[in-house]
Amino acid sequence: MLLCGVSVVSRTLTRWGQKSHRGGGLLRRSFLCSTSRCHGVSAGEGSRQSAETGSAQGLYRDTVLLPRTEFPMKLAGQKLLDREVEIQEKSGFSSLYTWQSERKGKKFCLHDGPPYANGDPHVGHALNKILKDIHNRFEMLRGRQVHYIPGWDCHGLPIELKALGELGAVDLSPLQIRQKAREFAKGAIERQKAAFQRWGVMADWGQCYYTYDGAYEAAQLKVFREMHSKGFIYQDYKPVFWSPSTRTALAEAELEYNPGHISKTIYATFPLDTLPPKMTSNEVQDNVSVLVWTTQPWTIPANQAICYMPNAQYSVMKRKDNSQLLLMATERSVSIAAVLGTELESVVTLTGSELEGGICKHPTIANKEVPLIPANHVTMAKGTGLVHTAPSHGMEDYSVASQFKLPVECMVDEDGKFTELAGPELENLSVLKEGNEKVICMLKECGALLKEEDCIHSYPYDWRTKQPVVIRPSKQWFINTGSLKDKAKEALAKVRILPESARSSLLTMLDRRTYWCISRQRSWGVPIPVFYHRETGEALINKHTVAHIVTLFKEKGSDCWWELPIDTLLPADVLKKSKAGPVSDYVRGEDVLDIWFDSGTSWAAVLEEELEADSEESESRLSWLPAPLRNPLVTETDGKADAYVEGKDQIGGWFQSSLLTSVAVKNKAPYKSLVVHGFAVSEKGEKMSKSVGNVVDPDTVINGGKDDSTPAYGADALRWWVAESNIFSEVQIGPSALNSARDNINKLRNTLRFLLGNLNGFDPQTQAVDPKQMFYIDQYMLHLLREYSMKVTDAYNEFDAGRVIRLLQAFMTRDLSNFYFSIIKDRLYCETEDSLGRRSCQTVLEEILDGVTRSIAPILPHLAEDVYAHTPGHDKDETLFRSGWLKCSSVWRRPGLEEAVEGACAIRDSFLSSIPGKNAAQYDLTIAIEPGLLFELMESLQEDPSSTSSQLVELMMSARVNLTSTMPRDLPPETLTSHGTFLINLEGGVIREESSYTIAAVPTSAERCPRCRRYTTESADCLCPRCQTVVTKAQ
């Protein structure tokens, strides 16, 4: 029996608007059952069972509303490339950024980390730039004013070396070197810029920032001035990483570690000349030697001390093979015995603190004393527990030297060779090659070498030349990062980091960096604005001298440091304010700033307010920006970018240098969010290398190779690859990934083409159906579309384009292709063109097309604009990216309706599983549901006890559905029976009920209609009542 109309379900359905149209024909499509002569079908034609092959189909082909669209099913090769370029031109890709920057809206700032202007564009660029563009387009679509100024890092040694290498030039002046380097950088910039535009990256490409621009350099020097005045920048003589191959100091961020580096490791002895006072024993006289271990034998001549761990235990051990007495950490004795190939017997054991007062003789330098001193950096992981200490060649060694006032003598020159201080035997020998071997030989000759072996370990290399570096003392300019570390950590705690696991790496990098060497001994860079006294070498640098240089750089660029006479760089009024002597007493400095300081101050040049409150000066300094993006950004974003998005190598690079400089000047981070992505690697997960032959060129990806084996994938396929990848790990690229991207785009094209084809002739402005008047299945699809849209928006917010693609593919496959499209085709093709049921379906298809197209637009802008150009309902000249984001109308939310449709789907699944491999349309169903909520929900889909045209029949895709509360007893013997249950959850869980159902499927006795091919006609040569009505109406 049917439940009464005042039930809970009826009240729920009333809210959907069902009551208002229950008799109107949508929920109850009553077609007349006619036994009259079929329309235009002869007995011979009607006897045919296949509508596809019979002439009956020919009679009705023109009455069936099949999809029609000019949108191509597939584009490949040159046609694809031409279409993408055409779309960029017609849709105004080049003017889109300016258009959105001039409209009102909440600002979103993604600050571009400048790529290095030293070569052609590569897939690493593609990964980074497209990832940024996907998010920028998303933010722009949803109405925000995007602030994105592309930039380039233009200074530095790699550019200088490449420029000079191409020329084969030597003995050039700094200005000549700078001219050649600038020309080289400009060429690389133009090539990269053209590629970025072809990839569809949205920006005003006529308004970019360059670190060699005079206004940028001036902003950079203002940050330098502020940091210097606060004491964060200072000059000192201390050990730094030094590259002999490029003859310059390096910062930590300019190193890369070679895990396969081979060093010569040695065990060497330093004879104890003065025993520690507490080392007393008859066995211990004056023949004890301290045993040390090092991977850098060349540093032995620079030794100033041997360090021990105060709380550790040490022993004097006697060698069984020659009775030699060796001092070592007790816990290392077993390992050392194995290395030396002999047994060791303990003679005396004492704590590290009891070694105080011991003094050794240097093994290769006569009369040189080497004290034993305590230190916290000593470990027991390797070696002997006694650390050879050369303050000139180790950061920790230098710290110990500072504490104990040990000398810091540099025996290594800028080319990595020993100086005369090392003695005649070593002078001019390379410390990493023959000099290292010579030191080992000297130790062997004096009997101090106990063991020599090869050691494979991680060692720092110059990231530009791929050659090993050394640590040597030099007078350089430093930033005291140790004093900034705590403030930087506090600022970082307020920053959102994706993935969160990258936070620990950032903190570790901060902890490792106690100071940052920012001076470089090259020509192509921003000169450090310092002058030196000719006689004393004392530096002249203060707020007055730097302010004057800032003004000059802004007007003339940093070349003026070499072009102008020194009295122009250091005029009389500046000297007077500085209380300095005559200009003739001074010479200009020759060092330039580290390029990480260049790029690390980009926040000040591109998105920050002027360090002084000078609005006119600020307007001038930011003159390259579109007018709306100069001053308002500061007010709205507090001088912070909403996001920095770069590869994981920037954890110790741009992310950190930007943080440190911003914290030093402003006491806050320059960014609100950090997005850290992985590197692009080959399909095998290997680093790309020209020598290996696994480099993927993005230009070849888009335009194809020289032969047919490398197809043209187009820009959208490259963008799909970026979006689909798990960007938070290494991102693989190769033929498999690109073929997959192409195939997935083609599947998407076909889905969009189906939608476009079924919207032929539909005008959403005049023919759309109100959601309350729609079929329940159509309302349900809007409900699913709303959920999809919300999930997609959330994914884009999280910079997770991969999740967007997974949501898209699930929606297309599960909700559209496998479900909705398979159900609605009869209604779309066989109803009258303007029927309410068909218009209801088309209204939903138009919303789905709009939603899917907008959801993939940030990823596939070319395809999205192409689809939009074929979509009905908007002006011909209107473009998608100027028309807004996804709809998420609250009207589409239908939680109660969801239970009704999903309950019917559960029943359908049970039915289909009972007829595997058979056609559901050839069965009549009897559905028996015990009285309750589920029965009432099914009644909302089929009011009549028996129907061939109800919404429930449409969902079941069967010939007929009989809905009852009890299963008939007289079922035919061929009946297939299945059972199931469905849990109803309404009103947020307030109403819960599990209902059981039984399905009886019987092969239908009806014949197949030659027009619609449903089994709903009395005779094979007759139209079904619905089709008879439609055809008659069409005549």
Side-chain angles (χ1 to χ4, degrees):
M1 61 180 281
L2 300 179
L3 296 186
C4 64
V6 297
S7 68
V8 172
V9 174
S10 295
R11 290 198 302 270
T12 302
L13 295 177
T14 298
R15 293 200 299 271
W16 306 341
Q18 180 260 354
K19 290 281 187 183
S20 66
H21 65 269
R22 179 165 287 189
L26 279 176
L27 294 180
R28 186 181 182 183
R29 291 183 294 162
S30 300
F31 294 114
L32 295 177
C33 295
S34 174
T35 57
S36 63
R37 179 170 53 85
C38 296
H39 183 86
V41 183
S42 70
E45 292 167 339
S47 64
R48 299 192 183 191
Q49 294 298 306
S50 174
E52 284 94 349
T53 59
S55 59
Q57 183 202 21
L59 290 172
Y60 306 115
R61 182 179 291 116
D62 293 341
T63 72
V64 177
L65 302 170
L66 294 175
R68 285 186 297 169
T69 179
E70 295 179 358
F71 184 74
M73 180 181 296
K74 187 177 181 180
L75 283 176
Q78 193 60 44
K79 288 184 178 179
L80 171 63
L81 303 181
D82 291 344
R83 184 59 178 157
E84 285 189 339
V85 173
E86 181 185 2
I87 288 168
Q88 288 192 359
E89 293 173 355
K90 286 187 175 181
S91 299
F93 274 39
S94 61
S95 60
L96 182 59
Y97 183 85
T98 302
W99 171 83
Q100 65 87 35
S101 69
E102 292 173 349
R103 66 179 180 174
K104 293 182 179 179
K106 185 178 179 182
K107 290 181 173 60
F108 172 81
C109 175
L110 194 159
H111 183 37
D112 190 36
Y116 206 52
N118 71 329
D120 293 329
H122 51 70
V123 288
H125 290 130
L127 174 61
N128 181 259
K129 293 298 180 183
I130 292 172
L131 181 63
K132 292 173 181 175
D133 188 62
I134 288 172
H135 197 82
N136 280 341
R137 286 179 177 270
F138 159 68
E139 295 288 355
M140 190 272 291
L141 274 169
R142 65 174 185 162
R144 300 185 75 175
Q145 188 188 87
V146 173
H147 180 282
Y148 175 72
I149 311 299
W152 272 270
D153 198 352
C154 309
H155 290 133
L157 187 60
I159 294 173
E160 183 176 331
L161 292 178
K162 282 195 174 184
L164 297 180
E166 287 184 357
L167 296 169
V170 294
D171 298 328
L172 297 179
S173 69
L175 280 173
Q176 289 174 317
I177 292 173
R178 289 171 66 84
Q179 179 185 353
K180 301 302 180 185
R182 183 179 287 103
E183 290 173 358
F184 180 90
K186 285 182 176 179
I189 288 168
E190 290 309 308
R191 294 193 300 276
Q192 292 181 19
K193 186 185 293 187
F196 300 164
Q197 290 175 268
R198 179 62 184 90
W199 301 343
V201 177
M202 178 186 69
D204 182 349
W205 295 102
Q207 301 290 346
C208 302
Y209 78 88
Y210 310 99
T211 60
Y212 61 40
D213 181 90
Y216 186 100
E217 293 171 327
Q220 177 181 340
L221 287 193
K222 286 191 175 184
V223 175
F224 180 94
R225 180 192 64 196
E226 290 296 309
M227 294 181 68
H228 181 267
S229 66
K230 292 180 179 180
F232 293 125
I233 291 178
Y234 62 98
Q235 191 180 37
D236 200 0
Y237 180 81
K238 64 170 67 177
V240 295
F241 289 108
W242 186 273
S243 173
S245 57
T246 53
R247 303 182 82 249
T248 187
L250 300 177
E252 179 78 30
E254 296 170 293
L255 305 176
E256 59 183 27
Y257 285 80
N258 178 4
H261 181 82
I262 300 176
S263 292
K264 290 286 187 183
T265 70
I266 60 168
Y267 288 84
T269 57
F270 283 63
L272 256 176
D273 189 43
T274 301
L275 295 177
K278 295 187 178 180
M279 185 184 288
T280 57
S281 171
N282 293 331
E283 297 292 330
V284 178
Q285 300 298 324
D286 56 359
N287 60 344
V288 178
S289 294
V290 174
L291 184 63
V292 300
W293 172 84
T294 181
T295 60
Q296 305 295 314
W298 62 269
T299 63
I300 291 290
N303 177 279
Q304 299 293 343
I306 296 174
C307 293
Y308 58 82
M309 185 186 295
N311 297 326
Q313 190 178 66
Y314 289 84
S315 296
V316 174
M317 311 293 291
K318 179 186 287 187
R319 295 182 58 157
K320 187 175 182 180
D321 55 354
N322 61 14
S323 300
Q324 184 180 19
L325 296 178
L326 301 172
L327 177 64
M328 65 188 72
T330 306
E331 68 178 88
R332 296 296 304 156
S333 61
V334 175
S335 298
I336 293 171
V339 169
L340 298 180
T342 185
E343 294 181 15
L344 297 175
E345 177 188 351
S346 177
V347 177
V348 175
T349 298
L350 61 168
T351 63
S353 59
E354 292 175 324
L355 297 178
E356 185 179 357
I359 299 176
C360 299
K361 293 180 181 178
H362 195 286
T364 64
I365 301 176
N367 302 320
K368 181 175 182 177
E369 294 184 342
V370 176
L372 299 180
I373 58 178
N376 294 325
H377 71 277
V378 179
T379 69
M380 299 297 167
K382 292 180 179 180
T384 68
L386 292 156
V387 178
H388 144 64
T389 301
S392 296
H393 305 298
M395 312 302 187
E396 292 168 329
D397 302 39
Y398 177 79
S399 296
V400 171
S402 299
Q403 181 181 351
F404 288 93
K405 295 181 171 47
L406 300 175
V408 181
E409 297 176 344
C410 184
M411 299 181 178
V412 180
D413 66 14
E414 294 177 346
D415 292 311
K417 296 180 179 181
F418 281 117
T419 66
E420 61 181 351
L421 286 177
E425 291 183 87
L426 295 173
E427 187 177 1
N428 291 326
L429 298 181
S430 169
V431 299
L432 293 175
K433 296 177 181 177
E434 62 270 19
N436 200 48
E437 295 294 336
K438 182 61 178 177
V439 170
I440 294 173
C441 182
M442 292 168 66
L443 289 169
K444 188 181 296 184
E445 289 174 355
C446 70
L449 182 69
L450 298 191
K451 184 71 176 181
E452 172 193 355
E453 56 190 2
D454 287 342
C455 173
I456 300 176
H457 64 130
S458 181
Y459 189 86
Y461 275 53
D462 184 330
W463 71 286
R464 299 143 175 153
T465 62
K466 312 302 179 185
Q467 296 298 313
V469 303
V470 297
I471 295 176
R472 65 181 287 269
S474 176
K475 197 168 189 179
Q476 303 288 345
W477 288 90
F478 298 91
I479 293 177
N480 184 359
T481 52
S483 62
L484 289 169
K485 183 167 48 178
D486 291 341
K487 288 183 179 179
K489 287 182 177 180
E490 289 177 16
L492 202 59
K494 301 173 184 177
V495 175
R496 174 190 181 215
I497 300 176
L498 297 174
E500 179 60 32
S501 57
R503 186 180 300 275
S504 61
S505 299
L506 282 158
L507 293 172
T508 300
M509 288 287 190
L510 283 172
D511 282 331
R512 283 175 53 184
R513 196 175 212 174
T514 54
Y515 55 84
W516 170 12
C517 177
I518 59 169
S519 48
R520 297 292 179 271
Q521 290 65 54
R522 305 301 302 186
S523 299
W524 181 229
V526 178
I528 296 177
V530 61
F531 303 90
Y532 295 100
H533 195 277
R534 290 182 182 275
E535 301 297 328
T536 66
E538 183 180 353
L540 174 61
I541 181 171
N542 55 54
K543 63 181 182 180
H544 308 296
T545 61
V546 178
H548 180 66
I549 300 301
V550 165
T551 302
L552 291 175
F553 280 16
K554 186 180 295 185
E555 295 174 357
K556 305 175 183 296
S558 58
D559 280 357
C560 71
W561 184 256
W562 289 271
E563 292 172 335
L564 298 176
I566 193 168
D567 56 1
T568 303
L569 298 174
L570 194 58
D573 62 323
V574 172
L575 286 168
K576 183 177 180 180
K577 292 176 184 177
S578 303
K579 298 179 181 179
V583 69
S584 59
D585 286 351
Y586 292 94
V587 294
R588 73 197 88 197
E590 297 180 353
D591 292 349
V592 298
L593 284 164
D594 176 18
I595 57 171
W596 291 109
F597 192 85
D598 273 23
S599 60
T601 54
S602 60
W603 55 265
V606 178
L607 55 90
E608 177 57 284
E609 73 269 29
E610 194 65 16
L611 297 179
E612 295 104 4
D614 186 341
S615 59
E616 291 184 6
E617 189 178 359
S618 177
E619 188 80 7
S620 170
R621 179 177 56 83
L622 302 177
S623 59
W624 60 65
L625 304 184
L629 295 182
R630 294 175 192 166
N631 287 329
L633 175 73
V634 176
T635 307
E636 197 157 329
T637 67
D638 192 27
K640 288 186 178 184
D642 289 283
Y644 277 32
V645 182
E646 301 298 331
K648 63 182 182 181
D649 55 329
Q650 301 306 318
I651 287 176
W654 191 55
F655 291 156
Q656 189 178 129
S657 62
S658 299
L659 176 66
L660 291 170
T661 55
S662 180
V663 166
V665 174
K666 305 188 302 174
N667 286 317
K668 62 183 179 182
Y671 37 70
K672 298 175 184 176
S673 298
L674 287 180
V675 180
V676 187
H677 63 76
F679 296 142
V681 295
S682 73
E683 281 193 329
K684 295 180 180 180
E686 300 168 341
K687 184 177 179 180
M688 292 189 188
S689 167
K690 289 182 180 179
S691 60
V692 176
N694 61 356
V695 174
V696 177
D697 183 353
D699 181 68
T700 304
V701 170
I702 292 175
N703 298 308
K706 297 179 180 179
D707 52 55
D708 295 337
S709 63
T710 308
Y713 292 99
D716 272 356
L718 187 66
R719 294 176 69 97
W720 180 282
W721 161 72
V722 172
E724 188 177 30
S725 303
N726 178 8
I727 62 161
F728 300 130
S729 62
E730 306 299 36
V731 183
Q732 297 179 349
I733 186 172
S736 296
L738 294 169
N739 287 337
S740 174
R742 178 193 59 199
D743 294 345
N744 283 322
I745 292 173
N746 284 336
K747 290 177 184 177
L748 174 60
R749 285 186 70 94
N750 286 336
T751 299
L752 295 169
R753 188 170 184 271
F754 175 84
L755 291 163
L756 285 168
N758 283 292
L759 291 172
N760 181 53
F762 177 71
D763 182 1
Q765 303 296 328
T766 61
Q767 296 171 331
V769 176
D770 186 278
K772 293 180 180 179
Q773 301 298 315
M774 290 178 177
F775 272 44
Y776 285 170
I777 180 63
D778 298 334
Q779 293 184 52
Y780 175 69
M781 282 311 301
L782 291 181
H783 175 84
L784 293 182
L785 178 61
R786 179 177 183 271
E787 289 190 338
Y788 166 75
S789 300
M790 293 170 65
K791 290 176 181 178
V792 163
T793 301
D794 288 343
Y796 275 123
N797 270 323
E798 296 293 321
F799 284 85
D800 196 349
R803 178 149 53 101
V804 172
I805 286 183
R806 292 191 296 274
L807 288 167
L808 169 71
Q809 292 175 323
F811 184 65
M812 287 197 311
T813 303
R814 182 189 62 221
D815 297 332
L816 297 182
S817 298
N818 294 346
F819 176 59
Y820 190 57
F821 290 171
S822 64
I823 290 171
I824 61 171
K825 286 179 181 177
D826 175 71
R827 205 175 354 142
L828 280 172
Y829 300 166
C830 299
E831 294 276 7
T832 55
E833 184 174 10
D834 60 351
S835 69
L836 197 54
R838 188 168 185 273
R839 293 305 189 205
S840 170
C841 184
Q842 285 185 305
T843 302
V844 172
L845 291 180
E846 193 273 333
E847 294 288 5
I848 291 172
L849 175 63
D850 187 75
V852 170
T853 305
R854 292 183 192 280
S855 72
I856 56 96
I859 298 170
L860 306 175
H862 303 89
L863 176 60
E865 288 288 16
D866 199 3
V867 171
Y868 196 72
H870 289 82
T871 301
H874 59 79
D875 295 338
K876 187 176 180 180
D877 296 333
E878 185 181 339
T879 66
L880 183 145
F881 280 97
R882 289 170 168 85
S883 60
W885 183 232
L886 294 165
K887 298 177 187 175
C888 290
S889 174
S890 59
V891 176
W892 294 354
R893 187 173 182 271
R894 293 287 188 262
L897 180 145
E898 183 180 9
E899 297 291 326
V901 176
E902 293 186 359
C905 289
I907 295 172
R908 185 185 69 162
D909 291 343
S910 298
F911 159 52
L912 294 177
S913 64
S914 70
I915 57 164
K918 296 180 181 178
N919 186 359
Q922 294 178 316
Y923 286 86
D924 291 339
L925 300 186
T926 299
I927 303 174
I929 307 174
E930 61 187 19
L933 295 179
L934 182 60
F935 188 89
E936 293 186 50
L937 289 171
M938 294 308 102
E939 274 193 309
S940 70
L941 298 171
Q942 178 172 307
E943 292 185 339
D944 295 332
S946 180
S947 177
T948 61
S949 57
S950 69
Q951 293 186 57
L952 188 57
V953 171
E954 185 178 50
L955 276 162
M956 295 298 122
M957 297 188 297
S958 61
R960 177 180 293 275
V961 170
N962 302 308
L963 184 60
T964 179
S965 59
T966 57
M967 184 61 68
R969 296 178 182 277
D970 54 343
L971 294 173
E974 66 270 26
T975 301
L976 300 172
T977 306
S978 56
H979 307 273
T981 60
F982 181 73
L983 177 64
I984 295 170
N985 189 336
L986 290 171
E987 305 292 344
V990 175
I991 302 171
R992 290 171 60 87
E993 181 178 297
E994 187 172 56
S995 299
S996 60
Y997 56 83
T998 301
I999 308 164
V1002 180
T1004 185
S1005 60
E1007 296 292 339
R1008 182 176 178 177
C1009 173
R1011 179 175 179 271
C1012 69
R1013 293 184 283 179
R1014 289 191 61 218
Y1015 289 83
T1016 52
T1017 185
E1018 295 178 356
S1019 171
D1021 59 356
C1022 291
L1023 291 176
C1024 68
R1026 186 272 305 270
C1027 287
Q1028 183 173 327
T1029 302
V1030 172
V1031 172
T1032 301
K1033 184 178 179 180
Q1035 289 183 333

